[in-house]
Amino acid sequence: MVFDLDENTDCNNVNDFYKKLFAEIPDLIFQFIIDVDNNYSFPLFSKSIEEIFELSTSDFLNNIKFAISERIHPSDRDLFFQSFVKARKQVSRWEVEFRGILPEKGLRWFKISSKSELSSDGKVSFFGHLSDITELKDKELKLRISEERFQFALEASTTGVWDWNMLTNKVFYSSLSLKILELESADVLDDPERWDQIVHPDDLPKYYSDIQDHFENKIPYYENYHRVMTSSGNYKWILDRGKVIERDEQGKPLRVIGTHTDISVQKEKELELIKTMKLYSDQNSRLLNFSHIVSHNLSTQAGNIKSILDFIDIDEKKETIKEMLIHLRTVSNDLNDTILNLNQIVQIQSNMSIIIKPLNLVEYINKTISTIKNFNSETNANIINNVPEYVTITFNPAYLESVLLNFVTNAIRYAHPDRSPMIIFDYTIEKEGHKVLKIKDNGLGIDLDAYGDLLFGMYRTFHKHKDARGIGLHITKNQIEAMNGKVFVESEVGVGTVFKIVFNDEL
């Protein structure tokens, strides 16, 4: 039933209703009037004044102003009375929060909420209630302290916070998350798909897989390392962690909270460590290869020399000595070649002050073609140079000559017997920006499944050619790597070979 006061309302029932209603309301209900002479009267106030304000009815009525002022905290009295005077003058709502000091309960927080009316005789009436809001204030204080601690923790850490509401598909990013991305506003990342767009393409599959595994409850929380593009166009490494904190009845995620941590410095150190470990590993491999050469080639040749000398000691015939000296000269020449080859490898690996300067690639290719011109005319080799004339690379001049000459002479030396040799130079740019030279031939080709791991090894040969020594590709690879470049090979037996040189230069 809708309660409405009109002329037909039974006053006895209304009074009875008010008594019961006031008894159930914990707030202090009041009405007070101020006349033009500034006299106060309280025609109505609830008995809860004794409980909420610890003030007896008689004490309150005997000295209204003193009784109220005595209960208000000294620091809040000016605020209390100024708000009251303003509401009275303007005949407006009177709302104020203040502290009170009670005899038994001690410090309490109160709130007054009241409307005001001006009568024709100049009296101002206030109708309202006073509430004890101490528990609410305590909760607000604890919440504020918690938020301040949380904010301090965020500002003092290197971790940004994100909060993804999957119902609205909106994500909140903390200021540090935006700082990591070098952004000032979260507007550019107002939905998760925009974040996905700045993740490095190579990292996206693992990123999607990890977060989906958590959504499907396969893992207790989500954790992923990936690169994100900042507003400056550079990539940063971040550690991204998250956890679903709310799901629907079917287990579908509704809200996810997580953190972003900038780990670029640590990741760079990690990558540098991996690079250093690879360098040591490569050096160890070269050292092992070197020791194999020394132990095999040198010891074999030294053994041959000893055997020849032993024959000379045993058989003193002039013919035998002459024959043995011929063998000794052959072994000595082989030994000298081996030592020269080893010395060249050592020089490449140990030369830290080698000259490096910008070189015109076409100029050096033409120089190589000119060098082998006589050899080229004999074999009818067709050499096609598709490299643009403007291309320059940073390299050592002697090394570049050696590298190009080695690849071209190899292509001619191992030409297919059924067709004239063809060598094609092509130039490309890798997606990372590195300059690449490709040298393609139509020769015998190499069985990479069988010899791929041995291709650049020292004294490794894969075709029965009378001039094959197995040293050229090994030296070539060392020269390229000494310039911080890389060399790759693609080959098919009977079809041909493509050597790809990736220079250290970037656009």
Side-chain angles (χ1 to χ4, degrees), residues 308-327:
I308 292 171
L309 293 174
D310 288 341
F311 273 114
I312 293 174
D313 289 339
I314 295 172
D315 193 342
E316 297 182 355
K317 291 180 181 180
K318 188 176 181 180
E319 293 79 5
T320 303
I321 293 174
K322 187 176 181 180
E323 183 183 349
M324 290 299 106
L325 287 176
I326 293 173
H327 290 308

Side-chain angles (χ1 to χ4, degrees), residues 206-477:
K206 184 72 164 56
Y207 166 72
Y208 286 135
S209 174
D210 286 348
I211 200 167
Q212 190 60 38
D213 283 348
H214 175 53
F215 285 173
E216 295 174 2
N217 270 325
K218 294 179 181 179
I219 50 178
Y221 60 91
Y222 152 74
E223 181 176 284
N224 182 266
Y225 297 88
H226 55 259
R227 288 160 288 180
V228 291
M229 182 179 287
T230 66
S231 62
S232 63
N234 298 317
Y235 279 102
K236 283 187 177 181
W237 278 97
I238 66 166
L239 168 59
D240 190 7
R241 289 193 177 106
K243 185 176 178 62
V244 176
I245 61 169
E246 186 179 353
R247 296 178 183 267
D248 62 16
E249 295 178 353
Q250 287 74 41
K252 182 180 178 181
L254 298 178
R255 187 178 174 202
V256 192
I257 290 181
T259 59
H260 291 143
T261 307
D262 185 350
I263 58 167
S264 298
V265 175
Q266 300 95 306
K267 197 66 179 179
E268 287 171 5
K269 289 180 179 178
E270 177 187 331
L271 295 174
E272 187 64 30
L273 179 60
I274 292 173
K275 183 179 178 181
T276 302
M277 291 176 66
K278 185 179 185 303
L279 176 63
Y280 285 137
S281 176
D282 292 343
Q283 289 176 340
N284 287 338
S285 297
R286 287 193 291 269
L287 182 60
L288 183 62
N289 188 34
F290 205 82
S291 67
H292 285 164
I293 296 167
V294 172
S295 64
H296 181 267
N297 294 58
L298 296 187
S299 63
T300 299
Q301 290 163 351
N304 289 337
I305 293 173
K306 184 179 182 302
S307 297
I308 292 171
L309 293 174
D310 288 341
F311 273 114
I312 293 174
D313 289 339
I314 295 172
D315 193 342
E316 297 182 355
K317 291 180 181 180
K318 188 176 181 180
E319 293 79 5
T320 303
I321 293 174
K322 187 176 181 180
E323 183 183 349
M324 290 299 106
L325 287 176
I326 293 173
H327 290 308
L328 184 61
R329 172 61 64 184
T330 302
V331 173
S332 175
N333 290 338
D334 290 343
L335 178 59
N336 187 59
D337 287 343
T338 299
I339 292 173
L340 288 174
N341 290 335
L342 294 176
N343 185 55
Q344 187 174 359
I345 297 300
V346 170
Q347 286 180 344
I348 293 172
Q349 295 298 325
S350 60
N351 196 345
M352 302 301 291
S353 58
I354 191 166
I355 297 173
I356 301 174
K357 60 182 182 179
L359 305 174
N360 183 278
L361 189 53
V362 169
E363 180 183 326
Y364 277 78
I365 292 174
N366 290 336
K367 186 176 182 181
T368 302
I369 296 172
S370 177
T371 301
I372 63 165
K373 186 175 181 180
N374 294 330
F375 190 67
N376 180 16
S377 61
E378 293 174 6
T379 57
N380 298 316
N382 182 21
I383 301 178
I384 301 172
N385 181 13
N386 295 325
V387 178
E389 293 186 359
Y390 62 81
V391 176
T392 60
I393 58 166
T394 306
F395 218 80
N396 172 262
Y399 283 4
L400 185 57
E401 286 183 18
S402 174
V403 167
L404 295 175
L405 192 61
N406 242 313
F407 282 131
V408 173
T409 54
N410 269 0
I412 296 174
R413 182 178 293 123
Y414 301 111
H416 197 284
D418 299 332
R419 53 181 175 260
S420 297
M422 176 177 286
I423 304 167
I424 302 174
F425 290 91
D426 283 315
Y427 172 78
T428 59
I429 302 293
E430 285 195 335
K431 62 179 180 180
E432 292 83 4
H434 290 282
K435 300 176 181 179
V436 177
L437 174 66
K438 290 183 179 181
I439 306 172
K440 181 181 179 181
D441 67 55
N442 63 341
L444 295 171
I446 303 167
D447 187 348
L448 295 181
D449 291 335
Y451 305 116
D453 295 336
L454 308 174
L455 183 61
F456 293 101
M458 203 169 180
Y459 299 120
R460 301 289 187 179
T461 57
F462 312 101
H463 299 291
K464 294 180 180 180
H465 193 284
K466 61 183 179 67
D467 296 327
R469 294 186 301 152
I471 187 67
L473 285 181
H474 183 76
I475 291 176
T476 298
K477 181 175 186 290

Side-chain angles (χ1 to χ4, degrees), residues 135-178:
E135 289 186 5
L136 178 61
K137 280 292 184 181
D138 287 343
K139 290 178 180 178
E140 287 180 355
L141 178 62
K142 290 177 181 178
L143 180 60
R144 189 180 77 250
I145 292 174
S146 177
E147 288 177 344
E148 288 173 351
R149 288 172 178 168
F150 178 68
Q151 187 63 32
F152 174 78
L154 286 180
E155 293 174 355
S157 73
T158 57
T159 300
V161 173
W162 52 270
D163 186 344
W164 180 10
N165 184 331
M166 300 184 73
L167 288 175
T168 61
N169 202 35
K170 297 295 181 182
V171 186
F172 161 80
Y173 295 99
S174 71
S175 58
L176 190 55
S177 279
L178 299 177

